Amino acid sequence: MTTGPQAPEGYDPHAYPPFAVTVDLAVFTVRDGALKALLIERVDDPYAGAWALPGGFVDIDEDIPDAAWRELHEETGLEQFAGHLEQLGTYGTPGRDPRMRVVSVAHVAFAPNLPDPTPGSDARNARWCDVDDLDLPGLRGSHADAEITLAFDHARILADAVDRVASKFEYTPLATSFVADHFTLGELQHVYEAVWGTRLDRSNFRRWVKDTTGFVRPTSGTARRRTAGAGRPAALYTADEDGPGTLTPPLMRPDDARALRHDPRAPRHEPGALRPDEENR
Amino acid sequence: MTTGPQAPEGYDPHAYPPFAVTVDLAVFTVRDGALKALLIERVDDPYAGAWALPGGFVDIDEDIPDAAWRELHEETGLEQFAGHLEQLGTYGTPGRDPRMRVVSVAHVAFAPNLPDPTPGSDARNARWCDVDDLDLPGLRGSHADAEITLAFDHARILADAVDRVASKFEYTPLATSFVADHFTLGELQHVYEAVWGTRLDRSNFRRWVKDTTGFVRPTSGTARRRTAGAGRPAALYTADEDGPGTLTPPLMRPDDARALRHDPRAPRHEPGALRPDEENR
DNA sequence: CCAAAAGTGTTCTCAGTACACCCATGT
DNA sequence: ACATGGGTGTACTGAGAACACTTTTGG
């Protein structure tokens, strides 16, 4: 091992146990009226052939957000990512990676409806996977007959990430990160319904969105038939960039949208109660 | 550097950059009607003599929650810690520790009114510090004339932790972690008021607490003068252990309690928007 | 008696809910 | 004509806010 970076005199770089630090990404988009997560097929050996969240090692002089954005760009192939990225939590149980002790800082990213599966820069296969088709611990459908199983503890990370997205939708205008820069209120409502897995009253949703300051701004344009079929053309709106990052009042999802989830509303992020004698999972 | 733990054949333990991983703890209690955080005086050289959050290195085979509980016991000297501990977020900006590249997993702990400053097992000085007396970035009083400055990025961590506690009080019964196992509704209200830095209507608070299932249970006992002075003896309550970890409906803090904070309601945890080109502190 | 804190009740208002109804367009 | 989705209005209801009032203690 080399000496620690910028280590002054008097410190022993061997005095601390060496960890590997990675970033994992739960990248979401809404497509075909469903919440989808980006998964990649692993080629390297731990869990080779299995599906996993995109991610990779953090460089020794690289900030963690930078590493997350770098991996996001590398794995999605998107240079201009217009969405949102934030830290979710850190997962570092010994043995979660059979190779070595790895601490992974998981992130959540919100993407607008992206061009297509976007295979990564390397040879891996990539796809958008419906989260309802996955067997996530205590979440949504929880299909025991799911054909896809995720590598490492990525099922838990993804379950926490889904909870995070659903919570964020109540208090923040981040739903606009899932749609194009100009969108109709119907599209925005479809995003909410896909993320929450519920139905919303069109009239009340529209009134809440328009009465909430700092959420959307009307534009002069009107949507000329972007969805197939008939219907009156909808007015186009834009995200209000000047607004605060918070919605007042919040839009609380209906109770049936919470019942679908395991431990709703509370786990904004925490991976459990973290009691000393309890199993953490 | 030694070979990575349980590394199978074919993997090079030198292939990843070695990080140090620590846990930092923001331990809160309510005392004298104010929210206090546990700070220790550093003796070792980086920021020696400065005040900092308790914390330490994670062992190479130790789970992160275990490390957090271990440090909590070591630093507070409390064997039986009746409170609550949860992960807050991870702070790993290069250079935050001048010795080496350190990634710190910060935690939040809620403690009942503890016996006293409780100096740690080692020689360091420890004290409960009023969070309003600290200069925390964009929070509460934000005293520019604060006498105490915190080591590393602990001011930011503590600011995020205060936000987390205030948010948690809206949706979870964790306020009971700040009081003894038997408490009066007045005491519980004082805890809420200290954490939110606001005043609540006594009548409405009491009605909300009693109407919220899974929060408190009445006991037969009645408090016999624990606060000095006159007044009718109050009934004693206990935390409802059987309830879900969430409060329905939530108790929203009044708007003036949000205005005290920098970026209220939204940053349940995220340390900012994490844009690639932005400074992340 | 008075102050202080606990406990109870009542009114008002407003936001969420559940609808009904009309408008514009494609087929 | 009719189905489809956009847009508007309205009555009902329940929870929060504000506040008045009673009860029980200590001094």
Side-chain angles (χ1 to χ4, degrees):
Chain A
M1 159 199 240
T2 70
T3 135
Q6 64 240 96
E9 296 295 323
Y11 293 111
D12 179 13
H14 295 264
Y16 61 92
F19 285 70
V21 175
T22 62
V23 287
D24 282 323
L25 293 167
V27 189
F28 292 106
T29 197
V30 171
R31 180 187 289 238
D32 305 328
L35 182 64
K36 311 263 186 180
L38 181 63
L39 297 181
I40 64 165
E41 195 171 11
R42 288 186 58 84
V43 291
D44 295 326
D45 200 342
Y47 297 94
W51 292 88
L53 299 177
F57 288 95
V58 179
D59 196 53
I60 194 63
D61 281 320
E62 183 182 35
D63 202 358
I64 296 176
D66 295 339
W69 280 106
R70 174 177 55 76
E71 291 290 341
L72 181 59
H73 290 155
E74 289 179 9
E75 305 276 3
T76 65
L78 297 179
E79 273 314 310
Q80 292 296 350
F81 184 88
H84 170 86
L85 176 68
E86 71 179 47
Q87 189 185 117
L88 171 66
T90 296
Y91 300 77
T93 305
R96 65 180 291 277
D97 188 318
R99 290 171 290 180
M100 64 199 104
R101 180 66 193 273
V102 176
V103 164
S104 176
V105 184
H107 292 73
V108 179
F110 303 166
N113 198 330
L114 293 177
D116 242 333
T118 64
S121 54
D122 35 22
R124 325 180 198 197
N125 194 7
R127 62 177 275 194
W128 290 106
C129 190
D130 196 321
V131 296
D132 290 321
D133 292 343
L134 296 173
D135 183 25
L136 302 183
L139 212 68
R140 294 201 172 226
S142 281
H143 300 199
D145 58 332
E147 62 285 4
I148 295 184
T149 44
L150 295 181
F152 305 108
D153 50 3
H154 287 185
R156 161 120 306 261
I157 295 176
L158 193 52
D160 292 343
V162 171
D163 263 352
R164 175 71 142 262
V165 174
S167 293
K168 278 265 166 183
F169 267 42
E170 294 183 323
Y171 309 97
T172 72
L174 287 176
T176 57
S177 300
F178 282 89
V179 292
D181 42 338
H182 289 270
F183 53 88
T184 72
L185 295 186
E187 292 167 346
L188 192 65
Q189 181 177 348
H190 289 332
V191 168
Y192 267 90
E193 290 176 337
V195 168
W196 284 348
T198 186
R199 286 306 216 158
L200 300 175
D201 183 89
R202 193 166 45 83
S203 174
N204 298 328
F205 178 81
R206 142 186 300 285
R207 181 159 47 85
W208 171 73
V209 168
K210 296 174 73 171
D211 290 356
T212 301
T213 59
F215 195 5
V216 300
R217 277 181 306 127
T219 69
S220 56
T222 153
R224 193 126 283 278
R225 292 299 89 231
R226 59 175 83 202
T227 70
R232 173 174 169 175
L236 288 177
Y237 292 81
T238 320
D240 189 352
E241 309 294 349
D242 301 330
T246 58
L247 299 182
T248 46
L251 177 58
M252 305 294 265
R253 60 191 135 157
D255 290 339
D256 64 292
R258 299 184 183 280
L260 294 175
R261 305 237 148 68
H262 166 243
D263 187 11
R265 188 181 252 154
R268 311 232 156 267
H269 144 259
E270 54 170 346
L274 301 188
R275 293 258 149 218
D277 300 326
E278 278 178 15
E279 278 295 328
N280 184 31
R281 170 160 355 274
Chain B
M1 157 200 250
T2 69
T3 134
Q6 65 241 95
E9 296 296 322
Y11 293 111
D12 179 12
H14 295 265
Y16 61 92
F19 286 69
V21 175
T22 62
V23 288
D24 283 323
L25 293 168
V27 189
F28 292 106
T29 198
V30 171
R31 179 187 289 238
D32 305 328
L35 182 64
K36 312 263 187 181
L38 181 63
L39 297 181
I40 64 166
E41 195 171 12
R42 289 185 58 86
V43 291
D44 295 325
D45 200 344
Y47 298 94
W51 292 88
L53 298 176
F57 288 96
V58 179
D59 195 53
I60 194 63
D61 281 319
E62 183 182 35
D63 202 357
I64 295 176
D66 296 338
W69 281 106
R70 175 176 55 76
E71 291 290 342
L72 180 59
H73 290 156
E74 289 179 9
E75 306 275 4
T76 65
L78 297 178
E79 273 313 310
Q80 292 296 351
F81 185 87
H84 170 86
L85 176 68
E86 69 178 49
Q87 189 185 116
L88 171 67
T90 297
Y91 300 77
T93 305
R96 64 181 291 276
D97 189 318
R99 289 172 291 182
M100 65 200 104
R101 180 66 193 274
V102 176
V103 164
S104 177
V105 183
H107 290 74
V108 179
F110 303 166
N113 198 330
L114 292 177
D116 243 334
T118 64
S121 55
D122 33 23
R124 326 183 198 195
N125 194 8
R127 62 178 275 195
W128 290 105
C129 189
D130 196 321
V131 295
D132 290 322
D133 291 342
L134 296 172
D135 183 25
L136 301 182
L139 212 65
R140 293 197 174 232
S142 280
H143 300 198
D145 58 332
E147 64 284 7
I148 294 183
T149 43
L150 295 180
F152 305 109
D153 51 1
H154 287 186
R156 161 117 308 260
I157 295 176
L158 192 53
D160 292 343
V162 171
D163 264 351
R164 175 70 143 261
V165 174
S167 293
K168 278 266 166 183
F169 268 41
E170 294 183 324
Y171 310 98
T172 72
L174 288 175
T176 57
S177 301
F178 281 89
V179 292
D181 42 340
H182 288 270
F183 53 87
T184 72
L185 295 187
E187 292 167 347
L188 191 65
Q189 181 176 347
H190 289 331
V191 167
Y192 267 90
E193 290 175 338
V195 169
W196 283 348
T198 186
R199 286 305 216 159
L200 300 175
D201 182 88
R202 196 167 45 82
S203 175
N204 296 327
F205 178 81
R206 143 184 298 283
R207 182 159 45 87
W208 171 72
V209 169
K210 297 174 73 171
D211 290 356
T212 300
T213 59
F215 195 4
V216 300
R217 276 180 308 128
T219 69
S220 56
T222 153
R224 190 125 287 276
R225 295 296 90 232
R226 60 175 83 203
T227 69
R232 174 174 171 175
L236 287 177
Y237 292 81
T238 319
D240 188 353
E241 309 295 348
D242 300 331
T246 58
L247 299 182
T248 46
L251 176 58
M252 305 294 265
R253 59 190 135 158
D255 290 340
D256 64 293
R258 300 184 182 280
L260 295 176
R261 305 236 148 68
H262 166 241
D263 188 11
R265 189 180 250 156
R268 310 228 157 272
H269 144 259
E270 53 170 345
L274 300 189
R275 292 259 150 219
D277 301 327
E278 278 177 17
E279 277 297 329
N280 185 29
R281 174 123 354 258

